[in-house]
Amino acid sequence: MDLTYTEDEEVFRGQLKAWLAKVLPALPPAPDPLDWPGRRAYDTAWQRMLYEAGYAGLHWPADAGGGGATPTQHLIFLEETERAGAPYVGANFVGLLHAGPTIAAEGTAEQRARWLPPVLRGDEVWCQGFSEPGAGSDLASLRTRAVRDGDHYVVSGSKIWTSHAEVADWCELLVRTEPVSDAVPKHRGITWLAMRMDAPGVTVRPLRTLAGSTEFAEMFLDDVRIPVTDRVGAENDGWRVTMVTLSFERGTAFVGEVVACRRTLGELARTARDNGRWDADPALRRRLGRLGAEFAALWRLTQWNVSESQGGGSGADGSGGGFGVPGIGGSVFKLRYSQARQELYEAAGEVLGPDALDLAHPWNQDRLSSLSYTIAAGTSQIQQNIVAERILGLPKER
Amino acid sequence: MEFRLTDDQLALRTGFRALLAGRFGREELRAAVERPVLDRALWRELGDAGLFSLRLPEAGGGVGLGMPEAVLVFEEAGRALLPGPLVATHLAAGTVPGADTGRTVVAASDGALVEWLAEADAVVGPAAGARPVRSVDPLTPLHRVSGERTGRPAAALLTAALQLGSAARTTELAVGYAKEREQFGRPIGAFQAVKHLCAGMLVRTEVARAAVYAAAVTSEAHGAGTGEREDVPDTRVPEIGVPETDVAGAKLLADDAAVRNARDCLQVHGGMGFTWESDVHLHLKRAWVRAGQWITEAEAAELVAAAL
């Protein structure tokens, strides 16, 4: 049990902070949150700066063009960039955190050479075509069909909740290449394809979130032709290919967000002290204190998960010592974090009082966005099933 | 940064778990419930095993370990529902003669209640006018005292470790029962309503664990520099790594985990959970006793809030 960083890690941190202090003041002003082309340009320009400084894909393996950093270095990178107020990964999210790592792990040498450098340089943006109107939590029941025609797949169907689809160049697409039958369970017969977003037959219809922005979209695919060479992994092996990515993410998924939440909590406390609620409302004050304990613990849990992933874990006895499987420890983290984030912005509403109804205040926008956290990337109910079945060993319902 | 347990720490934990399983298993626990007196022979054995002298320097006959190791051992004591003024005696080691070896039993007062006062050889803290109460926990005799409320971070942290152990144990008990008990032709643990209660218990335990272990590390490193950075006030992110705040937060979360997990464990056990025969109520009652000790929920929340 040790929370100190090594000399090398502190050197890395110092260099990163010095670089951030130098480059951040030169950044252009952040674009309007509703201006998606503007946001793409801003996010990819930042990615380009990271690339030129050698920080792009820091935690990717070196043979995929990444920095080969340890999970702790990646933790430091995410912590310090957030502390310094650097841009978030934004439109590069899918390319850097999902499609890229999948290609790095499962792609051929040609595929890695074609797709990874543009992601790291910020030249190309990816989106994720997984969910369908009839396949949400039950993702494996997806029905978008791909039929082989010579050296192409011909793809028809529809996808939904596709973030950044409006501004993406590529889509990581899960399709069904083998119909479900008695012999083919639904997790088989799925294939992972890379689809150009400007291919004929792709129609993107933006969806407006309850927060008013069009950050995700519905996507209609009508006889879209995708070269067989753009398939990653074997035909009908797409489910496994997708799951590989989970092992790529080693406990660092929410590092920046936890730091950001702790900063927001500090702002809440200052605002409450200034507007008199701190002294007038002990219940609110204690709620903020409880949230302080929550977010401190979530930061420690992040450090724990990173430390576990570094050493291969120390056994999954469920009673202590950690889980040994970062992806699963991630479910425990996400369950608590998504809830704590919602409680944080509920508290923000209390601190603001009547101003909680004014969308001009960023906390109120964030309060609306926080509602997605217990739904996106596996609902809390699905996460509870994962924890119960895969960590605690309880039997499956069916 | 190597937050996870070292091999030595894992071995220490395994050793204590085995010791307690052999010396204070379920039979001994139930016998103690029916006859709640302090087992002095066991107390001496715990002393010989180093429970009380764990953090004293080796030169003085101690084990020479630190707060992280103490927390691991107290977590095991919490799992086993080991009775007695463990925290008080551990903290008196090196000050009250015989406490380190378990030859002297030491009780301590936090200004509100004292456990095991009648059986203790010495008492630390304000205990004037102590009067016995009918303790809700059959295995923790209590005296009510009125005095200055004293908060001792080390006592609060070790109490949090006991709570953590109890929270982990009730999670296991609930999961074990949910796998065994069948209704509607299948184990009740196959139903999501039950499954989600169990998942929630694990989440509370692991979040509390991260807080308790981290507080042990920052408490140990206090004065020696924790490796936490101190040059960041300009970023306006509330700093963590301050021992007193860390301990308050850890106690808050561990109390919550112990009490709520015991409640959910009782629920999973159904009618069995409401019986005297089941161990669940023993965890719940002990968790209630500890939740008020050294720092209450409100005091902890205020302390963390003040640091924001």
Side-chain angles (χ1 to χ4, degrees):
Chain A
M1 260 187 246
D2 180 15
L3 291 166
T4 57
Y5 293 89
T6 65
E7 204 172 310
D8 283 354
E9 286 162 353
E10 290 298 358
V11 167
F12 171 79
R13 186 192 298 276
Q15 287 167 345
L16 173 63
K17 284 171 77 170
W19 179 74
L20 288 166
K22 192 179 72 182
V23 301
L24 287 181
L27 273 185
D32 184 299
L34 300 181
D35 172 12
W36 288 97
R39 284 178 67 170
R40 174 190 160 128
Y42 182 78
D43 294 342
T44 53
W46 168 243
Q47 183 60 30
R48 180 76 189 194
M49 288 166 70
L50 289 173
Y51 178 79
E52 280 163 5
Y55 290 117
L58 191 68
H59 66 304
W60 287 19
D63 63 6
T70 63
T72 299
Q73 283 175 325
H74 192 218
L75 174 94
I76 292 169
F77 172 80
L78 295 167
E79 181 188 8
E80 292 301 338
T81 46
E82 176 55 43
R83 275 177 183 269
Y88 182 57
V89 62
N92 301 302
F93 177 81
V94 173
L96 280 172
L97 300 179
H98 208 274
T102 302
I103 294 161
E106 294 287 322
T108 62
E110 293 76 31
Q111 289 173 331
R112 289 153 67 121
R114 164 62 189 88
W115 284 315
L116 299 182
V119 167
L120 293 173
R121 286 195 304 262
D123 290 345
E124 289 183 345
V125 166
W126 286 67
C127 63
Q128 188 182 70
F130 283 13
S131 297
E132 297 182 4
S137 290
D138 183 12
L139 179 60
S141 70
L142 62 91
R143 292 196 309 195
T144 292
R145 283 281 286 143
V147 178
R148 187 77 174 255
D149 178 24
D151 53 4
H152 280 75
Y153 289 103
V154 181
V155 179
S156 292
S158 64
K159 294 287 176 179
I160 199 165
W161 320 135
T162 310
S163 298
H164 310 305
E166 274 185 279
V167 294
D169 305 293
W170 289 89
C171 176
E172 55 165 341
L173 191 69
L174 289 184
V175 296
R176 184 159 297 288
T177 33
E178 193 73 43
V180 178
S181 67
D182 289 346
V184 182
K186 62 185 177 181
H187 292 83
R188 306 253 175 79
I190 292 172
T191 299
W192 196 105
L193 298 175
M195 178 180 76
R196 296 192 66 98
M197 289 299 285
D198 60 1
V202 178
T203 309
V204 172
R205 189 170 70 91
L207 290 169
R208 205 162 169 215
T209 72
L210 61 75
S213 94
T214 54
E215 65 191 48
F216 52 30
E218 205 166 0
M219 200 164 61
F220 300 96
L221 308 175
D222 189 14
D223 286 341
V224 181
R225 294 182 71 81
I226 299 176
V228 172
T229 48
D230 288 353
R231 182 189 74 214
V232 171
E235 190 170 281
N236 298 333
D237 198 26
W239 188 258
R240 189 194 59 79
V241 168
T242 303
M243 293 302 133
V244 162
T245 314
L246 290 178
S247 63
F248 212 90
E249 185 276 292
R250 297 191 284 180
T252 49
F254 296 99
V255 169
E257 295 197 32
V258 174
V259 175
C261 283
R262 284 174 45 217
R263 174 170 44 230
T264 301
L265 191 57
E267 289 165 5
L268 254 58
R270 271 187 296 280
T271 305
R273 284 186 175 109
D274 289 347
N275 71 16
R277 283 171 200 276
W278 188 266
D279 292 322
D281 190 348
L284 173 61
R285 195 170 62 224
R286 289 174 190 175
R287 239 171 106 185
L288 294 177
R290 176 171 271 276
L291 283 164
E294 285 278 339
F295 280 103
L298 286 166
W299 176 249
R300 298 313 194 181
L301 186 58
T302 301
Q303 289 180 309
W304 181 267
N305 284 341
V306 165
S307 167
E308 288 269 292
S309 76
Q310 219 144 232
S314 44
D317 62 340
S319 63
F323 317 112
V325 185
I328 292 178
S331 290
V332 169
F333 179 90
K334 184 179 181 282
L335 273 166
R336 187 68 163 245
Y337 169 64
S338 56
Q339 189 192 338
R341 187 180 175 99
Q342 290 174 354
E343 287 169 11
L344 175 70
Y345 285 105
E346 289 296 313
E350 293 237 355
V351 169
L352 287 173
D355 291 334
L357 301 177
D358 178 0
L359 287 178
H361 198 295
W363 291 347
N364 298 322
Q365 290 286 347
D366 290 338
R367 184 181 185 180
L368 293 174
S369 310
S370 77
L371 298 171
S372 74
Y373 277 69
T374 45
I375 299 168
T379 65
S380 292
Q381 288 66 38
I382 291 288
Q383 301 291 350
Q384 283 174 299
N385 286 351
I386 291 172
V387 168
E389 290 169 10
R390 295 178 58 190
I391 302 179
L392 298 176
L394 289 168
K396 286 188 178 291
E397 193 157 32
R398 279 174 297 162
Chain B
M1 185 200 58
E2 292 286 359
F3 192 11
R4 70 205 158 99
L5 306 191
T6 63
D7 290 344
D8 285 350
Q9 287 168 339
L10 285 168
L12 178 72
R13 186 175 70 178
T14 309
F16 250 89
R17 189 173 296 186
L19 171 79
L20 292 177
R23 194 56 185 78
F24 195 74
R26 178 139 205 283
E27 250 174 61
E28 289 84 0
L29 170 66
R30 297 310 305 206
V33 168
E34 298 314 319
R35 192 171 165 273
V37 290
L38 199 71
D39 181 347
R40 294 242 167 198
L42 173 59
W43 208 253
R44 283 192 297 274
E45 279 178 57
L46 294 170
D48 293 341
L51 177 63
F52 305 121
S53 61
L54 196 79
R55 293 187 303 126
L56 294 182
E58 283 179 281
V63 186
L65 294 173
M67 197 51 109
E69 287 78 16
V71 155
L72 290 176
V73 169
F74 273 75
E75 183 184 337
E76 291 307 314
R79 282 177 61 89
L81 279 171
L82 189 64
L86 297 161
V87 172
T89 304
H90 176 94
L91 291 176
T95 314
V96 177
D100 55 341
T101 60
R103 269 63 185 171
T104 305
V105 176
V106 184
S109 164
D110 63 3
L113 291 152
V114 190
E115 56 172 59
W116 294 98
L117 181 64
E119 303 218 28
D121 306 311
V123 59
V124 175
R131 61 175 177 81
V133 298
R134 275 184 62 202
S135 173
V136 66
D137 175 10
L139 253 180
T140 309
L142 291 170
H143 278 72
R144 185 80 174 85
V145 296
S146 46
E148 187 86 355
R149 184 95 170 119
T150 50
R152 295 169 69 191
L157 178 56
L158 293 172
T159 306
L162 292 167
Q163 295 285 56
L164 171 63
S166 175
R169 182 65 186 144
T170 48
T171 305
E172 280 176 21
L173 290 173
V175 169
Y177 189 77
K179 284 178 183 171
E180 246 170 46
R181 168 72 175 164
E182 293 194 3
Q183 286 289 275
F184 304 101
R186 68 186 74 164
I188 60 170
F191 297 108
Q192 290 194 2
V194 175
K195 212 173 259 186
H196 290 186
L197 278 181
C198 295
M201 294 170 76
L202 185 75
V203 171
R204 274 185 222 121
T205 306
E206 295 306 319
V207 172
R209 181 189 307 285
V212 169
Y213 288 4
V217 173
T218 56
S219 297
E220 182 67 25
H222 185 45
T226 60
E228 298 284 328
R229 294 154 315 287
E230 284 159 23
D231 57 341
V232 287
D234 56 319
T235 65
R236 318 204 90 189
V237 177
E239 204 46 83
I240 54 177
V242 181
E244 217 184 24
T245 318
D246 284 2
V247 167
K251 178 72 164 40
L252 180 78
L253 295 171
D255 284 345
D256 206 56
V259 171
R260 293 179 63 192
N261 280 12
R263 287 281 292 103
D264 286 351
C265 182
L266 199 156
Q267 185 68 22
V268 169
H269 278 74
M272 280 304 298
F274 194 64
T275 63
W276 186 264
E277 174 194 341
S278 143
D279 292 345
V280 184
H281 71 107
L282 300 175
H283 279 280
L284 178 59
K285 291 165 178 175
R286 192 76 64 87
W288 279 339
V289 168
R290 290 178 189 135
Q293 284 176 337
W294 305 110
I295 186 166
T296 62
E297 180 187 354
E299 289 164 345
E302 289 284 4
L303 210 148
V304 180
L308 288 176

